[in-house]
Amino acid sequence: MPVEEQKAPDGVEKLTGSVEGVIYANEQNGYTILDFGTDGHELVTLVGVMPYVAEGDELTVYGRWVHNPKYGRQFSVTQFEKRLPSDSAAILRYLSSGAVRGIGPKKAQKLVELFGEDTFDVLENHPEWLTQIPGFSRRSADEVSAEFRRQSGVRTAMMFFRDHFGATLTVRICNAWGASAVDKAKKDPYALCDEIEGIGFEKADALAKALGFAPDGMPRIKSGVLYTLSYNASANGHTCLPEDKLRAAAADLLSVPEELVASAIAALSNERRIRKLRVRTEKGETVYCFDKTSYENERLIADRLTLLDRATAALGAGDVATLIAREEKQGGITYAALQKKAIAAALENGVMVLTGGPGTGKTTVVRALLRIFDSMGLRVALAAPTGRAAKRLSEATSAEAKTVHRLLEMSYNEGEKAAFARNEDNLLDEDVIIVDESSMLDTPLTAALLRAVKSGARILFIGDADQLPPVGPGNVLRDIIASRRFATVALTEIFRQAEGSLIVTNAHAIDRGEMPDLCTKNNDFFFLPRRRDRDIADTIADLCLSRLPRAYGPGVVGGVQVIAPSRRGEAGTENLNKTLQAALNPPAAYKREITVRDRVFREGDRVMQTRNNYELAWERGSENGCGVFNGDIGLIEEIDVKNHALTVAYDDRHATYDTADLDDLEPAFAVTVHKSQGSEYPVVILPLGSAPAPLLTRNLFYTAVTRAQRMVILVGREEVAAAMVQNGKQIMRYTGLRDRLIAGGMTR
């Protein structure tokens, strides 16, 4: 059928012609490479997202010419329009290519000889006519017709959805819903939110508006309520919302009266798409509303922790004392009273929490437990939420540590959602699971971990509950501690080797709500007063470029990390990254650079990986492997400008990023405090300038200072430091886990 061609935007070229042959096609994401004969009789190679394209298809494509170093000149397609061939010769070539299952070259020849240019109409609307051709029974004719109609439906869906969602999301819709996609979307566009990864409420709502759905209709209000729970709540760290706050937030999002939202909540609750939990608070009883996933995750965490604590065989007090005494004798060490208490608690309980600030000996306890568990013949898994935290744990204990994701053998499924090979059907083999930096554990990851822990195993959560909560939804470590259901030991004594460190003493002072010592100049903690944010940024650049290298040698620069409370403002990470890039790695004729999302990446730049990518390949000499993790920081070693690709050196590994992977990289001369969680750096520089008030908190200040191993430098205004110390408020996170744990799990 005829398709109205679009005008090519400025800078974009248009080609028309037909597909001569398909070289490669990925059915999952639609990425295709094909030979294309233009109307000007030139044979070119097209690359891009062009799903459901077959030999003989007539296309109009939009894009740009690119150069591939291996394959030469190619046309990169950003958008395309497809028409079925219309003349008999083109129809024959199309059907002979095998584009329609059940029709080969011989049958195609007979079809076109008999029906000519009406062949496609016959295939779609008159399958009984096919039986005139030898080899077509009525059954096979119906099957071929059904396949052709399916393809016709998919073509219609591609045309219908492309302007609303783009090619990649359209492929997902067609893969999930097939030929009925358009009819299903027209009937309920909001179903796209529930069933198609990557389509949120706003996109579905825009389609619904275009289709004429009423703004106060129940399908829209239900979808808006679920969106408020699953996205708005989780984006702010909640796993649930009080019912009154859910009503207000959804009514505001949808611009409808709260009465309509209340009706939608009641209907969703009856359908069990919203789950409710009654929670006791200081103000009485509150009803919390959950989406189904968050409800089940919290319930699973509570149930599994309760069962693990009950099912693990505890050692007797005498056995524990003997093991600790033997460890002290063999190691030539005497543990402090609280350290002994922590070791005993880990041996006596199925679930145990160990907390403490810097310098209190948490790592010493872990090393002791590793040796004791080994002597008992127990297999131990060490894990942490991020790659840098796992690496640091491994270095501190001289034992292998993995990210929780790698421990659970995570991969991405067809919808690009995380899937774990280790679960209730494929349990972990280890008898003891030790998780460091547990304050970073969110609810979904904790649930995934506990699904995979076998009955009778021990689990030990180690963390600092005074640090920032996890980026994802929930507040697992604090909820576990607050429930008082499990053995918890808080180490408070600062040991002699740490007493002389102002980093340690100032961190503890901040944690207590006291001002740190900003006057001492001959230690590892310095304050440089600056009034204006611009001066703060310039001073930080001068420290990195001149003052620190002059005082400690040029090698110090690689160990310096600027950590800022906020992204915005002259003292925020966005401006600091530009300032530091200009100072530390300015443009030069010999440095190649590319622009990604309006950011300039240059050879020699410091960059950070922003998500766990277990498929990204790396090389280390002759060794090859996969996996670069959220929080990993490296230097751009080489840039391939023509192919929009680059190589990053991470310590002794070298990972190559192509265009699709570049979205995972951010400049990292300066990072936010939240991004620094789970990491440590030799030198930390913290700007104390203007930032949104909600970010100037005590636990953010404490988290930033505790990222430093050897030196902290504060640059800015003393009153900002004072405001952060005095602001002990913590952002409210609505969860039901504490109450479930208090109830002893098994909640329904």
Side-chain angles (χ1 to χ4, degrees):
M1 60 181 176
V3 177
E4 182 181 348
E5 292 186 0
Q6 300 182 1
K7 181 181 178 181
D10 292 341
V12 175
E13 296 189 48
K14 180 176 80 171
L15 301 177
T16 59
S18 60
V19 178
E20 298 296 324
V22 177
I23 301 170
Y24 170 80
N26 185 316
E27 293 183 0
Q28 300 305 323
N29 60 25
Y31 184 80
T32 304
I33 304 172
L34 54 85
D35 286 330
F36 186 67
T38 70
D39 289 345
H41 307 292
E42 179 185 9
L43 185 65
V44 302
T45 301
L46 303 186
V47 296
V49 179
M50 296 173 285
Y52 310 108
V53 170
E55 182 180 332
D57 276 339
E58 297 176 358
L59 305 180
T60 299
V61 297
Y62 304 88
R64 293 179 175 84
W65 291 102
V66 297
H67 179 79
N68 184 293
K70 186 174 182 180
Y71 300 107
R73 188 171 181 248
Q74 298 177 331
F75 192 81
S76 178
V77 176
T78 56
Q79 194 168 352
F80 77 101
E81 298 158 354
K82 180 169 71 169
R83 302 174 301 281
L84 284 174
S86 54
D87 63 82
S88 296
I91 292 172
L92 175 59
R93 186 156 62 95
Y94 177 80
L95 292 176
S96 297
S97 71
V100 179
R101 190 182 302 113
I103 299 178
K106 292 183 179 179
K107 286 184 177 179
Q109 181 72 41
K110 293 176 182 178
L111 279 167
V112 174
E113 286 177 354
L114 184 58
F115 301 116
E117 294 180 359
D118 295 324
T119 298
F120 287 154
D121 178 63
V122 171
L123 284 172
E124 185 166 1
N125 300 308
H126 305 287
E128 67 277 8
W129 294 3
L130 301 181
T131 58
Q132 301 175 47
I133 298 172
F136 274 111
S137 65
R138 183 55 193 265
R139 178 178 177 181
S140 64
D142 287 340
E143 289 175 350
V144 165
S145 179
E147 171 64 12
F148 185 81
R149 289 196 302 274
R150 185 192 70 80
Q151 292 186 11
S152 178
V154 169
R155 283 192 296 274
T156 302
M158 291 297 301
M159 300 302 297
F160 178 80
F161 289 117
R162 67 175 187 184
D163 292 334
H164 294 281
F165 304 120
T168 301
L169 287 178
T170 297
V171 172
R172 291 183 188 173
I173 297 170
C174 292
N175 284 343
W177 288 358
S180 63
V182 174
D183 290 337
K184 189 169 182 178
K186 286 182 176 179
K187 182 179 180 181
D188 182 11
Y190 296 104
L192 291 162
C193 301
D194 299 332
E195 300 182 29
I196 309 298
E197 179 72 16
I199 297 181
F201 174 78
E202 291 97 334
K203 290 181 178 180
D205 197 36
L207 175 60
K209 183 178 180 180
L211 293 172
F213 275 69
D216 59 353
M218 193 53 64
R220 178 175 186 264
I221 298 173
K222 283 184 177 181
S223 182
V225 168
L226 291 173
Y227 170 79
T228 302
L229 269 181
S230 63
Y231 178 77
N232 279 352
S234 64
N236 293 296
H238 310 306
T239 61
C240 56
L241 286 175
E243 188 168 3
D244 59 340
K245 292 188 180 295
L246 173 59
R247 283 199 306 269
D252 182 62
L253 170 73
L254 299 165
S255 298
V256 298
E258 284 195 29
E259 291 78 9
L260 288 177
V261 174
S263 298
I265 292 173
L268 289 165
S269 180
N270 289 335
E271 297 166 10
R272 298 184 73 78
R273 296 171 71 190
I274 280 182
R275 309 297 297 275
K276 295 184 177 182
L277 181 70
R278 296 187 180 276
V279 175
R280 292 183 180 274
T281 66
E282 295 177 358
K283 298 180 181 179
E285 192 175 70
T286 299
V287 176
Y288 281 178
C289 294
F290 297 75
D291 65 27
K292 184 177 179 181
T293 299
S294 294
Y295 185 89
E296 294 298 333
N297 280 340
E298 278 199 356
R299 186 175 75 172
L300 182 140
I301 292 170
D303 290 354
R304 292 293 174 93
L305 287 177
T306 301
L307 288 172
L308 286 172
D309 204 43
R310 291 173 180 170
T312 303
L315 298 177
D319 294 330
V320 169
T322 299
L323 287 169
I324 294 174
R326 187 181 67 188
E327 174 60 27
E328 287 183 315
K329 182 177 180 180
Q330 291 179 349
I333 186 174
T334 300
Y335 297 113
L338 280 176
Q339 289 179 317
K340 288 183 180 180
K341 182 179 179 182
I343 296 169
L347 296 173
E348 293 170 349
N349 296 277
V351 177
M352 187 260 181
V353 177
L354 174 63
T355 70
T360 57
K362 296 192 297 294
T363 302
T364 300
V365 171
V366 174
R367 291 194 195 108
L369 286 170
L370 288 175
R371 290 189 290 266
I372 291 173
F373 285 134
D374 181 64
S375 71
M376 296 168 63
L378 300 179
R379 291 166 294 182
V380 181
L382 289 174
T386 68
R388 290 185 70 88
K391 181 179 179 181
R392 189 159 54 84
L393 178 61
S394 181
E395 291 170 348
T397 60
S398 299
E400 182 186 16
K402 301 177 180 179
T403 64
V404 176
H405 298 80
R406 185 171 287 284
L407 179 69
L408 298 178
E409 299 175 21
M410 191 198 87
S411 61
Y412 289 97
N413 61 20
E414 295 175 357
E416 297 184 6
K417 297 182 73 172
F420 299 100
R422 293 290 185 169
N423 50 40
E424 52 268 269
D425 298 320
N426 184 25
L427 298 171
L428 293 168
D429 299 321
E430 287 80 4
D431 307 295
V432 182
I433 314 295
I434 299 177
V435 186
D436 198 16
E437 295 287 355
S438 293
S439 63
M440 299 177 67
L441 284 174
D442 62 19
T443 299
L445 185 58
T446 307
L449 173 62
L450 291 173
R451 282 188 182 92
V453 178
K454 66 183 182 182
S455 178
R458 290 176 169 83
I459 187 162
L460 170 59
F461 297 103
I462 304 171
D464 190 338
D466 295 322
Q467 290 186 16
L468 291 171
V471 174
N475 213 349
V476 174
L477 182 64
R478 287 185 185 172
D479 282 347
I480 291 174
I481 295 171
S483 74
R484 299 179 182 273
R485 291 282 301 174
F486 307 103
T488 300
V489 177
L491 301 178
T492 56
E493 180 183 351
I494 300 175
F495 287 91
R496 187 179 299 109
Q497 60 268 30
E499 287 177 347
S501 168
L502 265 184
I503 295 175
V504 172
T505 56
N506 276 342
H508 284 273
I510 292 167
D511 194 34
R512 294 191 300 268
E514 302 169 2
M515 275 294 287
D517 179 358
L518 303 182
C519 299
T520 302
K521 301 295 184 184
N522 60 348
N523 209 290
D524 54 6
F525 197 104
F526 303 93
F527 173 61
L528 302 179
R530 297 292 185 274
R531 300 303 305 171
R532 299 188 307 167
D533 287 358
R534 179 69 263 171
D535 294 336
I536 292 172
D538 289 342
T539 298
I540 290 173
D542 185 47
L543 281 166
C544 295
L545 182 64
S546 303
R547 295 174 63 175
L548 288 172
R550 194 163 55 240
Y552 301 100
V556 72
V557 177
V560 175
Q561 184 60 58
V562 179
I563 300 177
S566 174
R567 285 182 172 272
R568 298 180 180 177
E570 289 188 290
T573 58
E574 291 183 2
N575 181 64
L576 284 168
N577 272 309
K578 294 176 183 176
T579 300
L580 291 169
Q581 183 191 48
L584 300 176
N585 191 34
Y590 61 89
K591 296 178 185 175
R592 286 164 290 192
E593 59 184 50
I594 56 174
T595 301
V596 180
R597 306 184 313 276
D598 299 324
R599 291 172 174 158
V600 175
F601 287 112
R602 183 175 300 132
E603 289 176 340
D605 277 352
R606 178 183 288 194
V607 290
M608 173 183 278
Q609 174 77 10
T610 59
R611 77 174 181 92
N612 291 331
N613 187 336
Y614 292 88
E615 309 300 325
L616 190 62
W618 52 258
E619 297 179 355
R620 182 193 290 126
S622 60
E623 180 185 358
N624 296 307
C626 292
V628 181
F629 307 112
N630 183 19
D632 282 353
I633 290 179
L635 294 178
I636 297 178
E637 191 173 54
E638 183 179 0
I639 291 179
D640 181 345
V641 177
K642 289 183 178 179
N643 292 291
H644 219 59
L646 54 82
T647 300
V648 179
Y650 293 103
D651 297 326
D652 57 348
R653 296 175 300 150
H654 304 270
T656 299
Y657 290 73
D658 61 22
T659 301
D661 297 318
L662 290 178
D663 282 345
D664 295 341
L665 286 180
E666 285 187 355
F669 294 102
V671 300
T672 63
V673 179
H674 287 86
K675 284 289 186 183
S676 73
Q677 283 181 269
S679 301
E680 281 189 349
Y681 313 96
V683 180
V684 165
I685 300 177
L686 176 65
L688 297 176
S690 303
L695 293 176
L696 298 179
T697 64
R698 183 186 303 164
N699 66 345
L700 186 140
F701 196 4
Y702 175 76
T703 301
V705 168
T706 55
R707 299 309 89 204
Q709 296 169 314
R710 301 174 196 161
M711 185 185 302
V712 170
I713 304 174
L714 309 182
V715 183
R717 301 191 287 276
E718 184 173 348
E719 62 266 28
V720 174
M724 296 178 79
V725 168
Q726 292 164 13
N727 184 6
K729 293 182 180 179
Q730 297 179 5
I731 297 174
M732 166 63 74
R733 288 202 169 193
Y734 293 110
T735 77
L737 180 58
R738 180 184 70 95
D739 295 86
R740 293 177 188 272
L741 291 170
I742 290 172
M746 308 303 167
T747 55
R748 295 290 177 263

